[in-house]
């Protein structure tokens, strides 16, 4: 019989081995993660005969959603040893993970899934999208004289954090980073040989990209810029540096407004999922009004102030769809149109359109 429990420091060696077995990440990355990202208070695993066979890692963060600070937990390193899959172990781990995070005060969960369909059963749905810039082969890109290239170093954390904070102000759903968070992001990229590109003009850093250049591909999962000139400059430099390599960049959806060279392709893709862990808390923080009522998962009727109601519900949706509404990823019209919400009171739904409009949502990838 499997044992399900929170992780302890003595589990690090087994967790690292399972991580590498399932994801194939480098020794350097695993050493960084197990030393600096490890948090046993939020991470869980299943054990068979003392052997770790399934795990989920987590850490607390604060998300800024609709301008409000929301306590949240990240979910990452979700893995089950191949010979133990399809036995229900991950479902049990997920139940323990969510219950533990809720008890520790998290209102929401977020992650960057490889396949969103895997998590629909636990009502984790898309919550932010990213611009994805790709090319099979870069050609004729000239570089940029304002771009400064260097190895990743935590000494740049202060100036990058200022860029990140300014660029994120127009979005809902982003992680509020501290200087220590940013240093850790840089250390994580450095552990795998990552590099840093900064766009500096008139002595001011206006954009950056954390990127890797190996195996014939140049890739970045954190490409942040305050304006189009900085974004275009970074893109030009990376395209020129690639010298015909494949290019893959991910950044905020605003990058979709860039005019790109013909050799590059632009698309947008869902990149983050969220789930509601504390529905009353989320309604109170992100709604705050009591004249519209919702039924999430048939658990009773709640007002958008988080209080239980004894009145008929105005809308019905599961907690994951409610998270999409509260975060700004979709408004009530979109949710209804896609069959993800049932409107029972049209005038109340009209009030939701005004009070909880759709917003640009972006969550940078965290580990």
């Amino acid at each position: 019989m499997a044992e399900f429990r929170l992780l302890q420091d003595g589990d690090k060696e087994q967790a690292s081995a399972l991580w590498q077995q399932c994801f194939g990440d480098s020794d350097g990355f695993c050493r960084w993660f197990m030393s600096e990202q490890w948090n046993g208070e939020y991470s869980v695993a299943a054990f068979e005969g003392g052997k770790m066979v399934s795990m989920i890692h987590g850490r607390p963060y604060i998300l800024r959603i609709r301008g409000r600070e929301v306590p949240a937990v990240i979910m990452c390193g979700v893995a089950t040893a191949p010979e133990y899959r399809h036995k229900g172990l991950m479902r049990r781990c997920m139940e323990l993970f969510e219950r533990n995070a809720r008890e520790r005060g998290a209102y929401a969960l977020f992650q960057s899934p490889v396949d969103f369909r895997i998590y629909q059963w636990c009502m984790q749905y898309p919550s932010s999208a990213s611009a994805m810039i790709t090319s099979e082969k870069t050609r004729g890109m000239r570089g940029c004289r304002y771009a400064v290239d260097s190895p990743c170093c935590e000494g740049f954390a202060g100036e990058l954090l200022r860029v990140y904070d300014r660029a994120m102000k127009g979005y809902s759903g982003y992680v509020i980073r501290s200087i220590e968070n940013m240093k850790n992001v840089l250390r994580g990229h450095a552990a795998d040989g990552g590099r840093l590109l900064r766009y500096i003009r008139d002595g001011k850093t206006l954009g950056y990209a954390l990127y890797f250049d190996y195996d014939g591909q140049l890739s970045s999962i954190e490409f942040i810029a305050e304006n189009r000139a900085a974004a275009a400059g970074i893109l030009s430099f990376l395209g020129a540096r690639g010298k015909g390599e494949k290019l893959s960049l991910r950044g905020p959806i605003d990058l979709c407004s860039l005019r790109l060279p013909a050799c590059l392709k632009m698309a947008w893709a869902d990149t983050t999922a969220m789930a509601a862990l504390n529905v009353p808390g989320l309604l109170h923080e992100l709604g705050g009004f009591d004249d519209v009522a919702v039924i999430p998962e048939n658990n009773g009727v709640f007002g958008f102030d988080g209080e239980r109601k004894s009145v008929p519900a105005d809308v019905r949706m599961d907690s994951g769809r409610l998270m999409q509404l509260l975060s700004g990823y979709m408004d009530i019209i979109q949710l209804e149109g896609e069959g993800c919400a049932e409107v029972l009171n049209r005038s109340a739904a009209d009030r939701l359109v005004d009070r909880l409009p759709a917003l640009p949502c972006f969550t940078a990838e965290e580990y």
Side-chain angles (χ1 to χ4, degrees), residues 5-65:
R5 62 168 173 81
L6 298 181
L7 291 179
Q8 303 167 1
D9 285 350
D11 298 322
K12 287 185 179 181
E13 184 175 346
Q14 286 204 69
S16 182
L18 182 56
W19 188 296
Q20 287 187 301
Q21 179 186 15
C22 294
F23 304 124
D25 286 314
S26 68
D27 291 342
F29 176 87
C30 286
R31 282 194 298 270
W32 166 77
F33 187 92
M34 298 302 161
S35 66
E36 302 203 41
Q37 300 294 82
W38 179 272
N39 190 316
E41 292 183 347
Y42 285 84
S43 304
V44 305
F47 295 82
E48 289 271 11
K51 176 185 176 182
M52 185 184 298
V53 295
S54 188
M55 67 182 182
I56 305 175
H57 293 268
R59 286 182 317 286
Y61 283 99
I62 301 294
L63 296 176
R64 189 174 297 280
I65 300 175

Side-chain angles (χ1 to χ4, degrees), residues 244-257:
E245 293 182 351
K246 292 183 179 180
L247 186 68
S248 173
L249 308 175
R250 168 187 163 182
I253 199 68
D254 278 358
L255 293 176
C256 286
S257 65

Side-chain angles (χ1 to χ4, degrees), residues 128-173:
S128 82
S130 299
M132 311 296 289
I133 302 172
T134 58
S135 175
E136 288 299 309
K137 187 175 182 180
T138 55
R139 299 185 300 274
M141 301 185 74
R142 296 177 295 177
C144 174
R145 63 192 180 98
Y146 301 110
V148 179
D149 187 51
S150 67
C152 282
C153 172
E154 64 181 80
F156 296 114
E159 64 183 275
L160 300 192
L161 182 59
R162 288 189 288 272
V163 175
Y164 176 88
D165 286 343
R166 290 192 293 263
M168 290 297 102
K169 283 184 178 179
Y171 292 96
S172 178

Side-chain angles (χ1 to χ4, degrees), residues 76-305:
C76 61
V78 181
T80 300
E83 64 271 28
Y84 288 90
R85 292 172 186 170
H86 310 298
K87 296 183 178 182
L89 297 176
M90 184 52 66
R91 182 179 290 268
R92 294 278 303 278
C93 281
M94 187 74 71
E95 291 169 352
L96 174 58
F97 182 89
E98 292 190 351
R99 182 171 66 251
N100 176 69
R102 185 183 303 112
E103 290 172 353
R104 292 183 180 277
Y107 284 12
L109 173 155
F110 71 103
Q111 64 149 323
S112 299
V114 174
D115 186 342
F116 285 84
R117 295 170 297 179
I118 295 173
Y119 299 95
Q120 290 181 355
W121 70 268
C122 53
M123 290 168 288
Q124 296 181 25
Y125 301 126
S127 61
S128 82
S130 299
M132 311 296 289
I133 302 172
T134 58
S135 175
E136 288 299 309
K137 187 175 182 180
T138 55
R139 299 185 300 274
M141 301 185 74
R142 296 177 295 177
C144 174
R145 63 192 180 98
Y146 301 110
V148 179
D149 187 51
S150 67
C152 282
C153 172
E154 64 181 80
F156 296 114
E159 64 183 275
L160 300 192
L161 182 59
R162 288 189 288 272
V163 175
Y164 176 88
D165 286 343
R166 290 192 293 263
M168 290 297 102
K169 283 184 178 179
Y171 292 96
S172 178
Y174 69 90
V175 171
I176 299 176
R177 285 182 177 172
S178 66
I179 188 70
E180 288 305 316
N181 291 144
M182 187 59 81
K183 286 180 179 179
N184 204 14
V185 168
L186 287 162
R187 289 195 294 268
H189 278 73
D192 258 352
R195 297 189 65 81
L196 167 65
L197 182 67
R198 295 172 295 147
Y199 181 94
I200 303 174
R201 193 159 187 178
D202 298 327
K204 185 178 180 180
T205 301
L206 299 174
Y208 69 89
L210 302 173
Y211 74 96
F212 299 95
D213 187 1
Y214 52 74
D215 294 336
Q217 179 163 326
L218 193 152
S219 62
S220 171
I221 59 170
E222 182 150 322
F223 176 12
I224 307 292
E226 293 185 42
N227 56 45
R228 291 184 184 181
I234 291 170
L235 187 58
S236 294
F237 181 93
L238 292 176
R241 179 184 172 90
K243 297 179 180 178
E245 293 182 351
K246 292 183 179 180
L247 186 68
S248 173
L249 308 175
R250 168 187 163 182
I253 199 68
D254 278 358
L255 293 176
C256 286
S257 65
L258 288 177
R259 296 182 64 183
L260 299 178
C263 63
L264 300 182
K265 295 180 180 179
M266 174 78 78
W268 69 269
D270 292 324
T271 47
T272 307
M274 285 187 188
L277 298 180
N278 183 330
V279 168
L282 286 166
L283 288 167
H284 176 77
E285 289 296 325
L286 302 175
F289 46 91
D290 64 0
D291 58 344
V292 181
V294 61
I295 299 178
E297 278 112 51
N298 297 315
N299 288 333
V301 180
F302 289 87
F304 273 78
D305 58 356

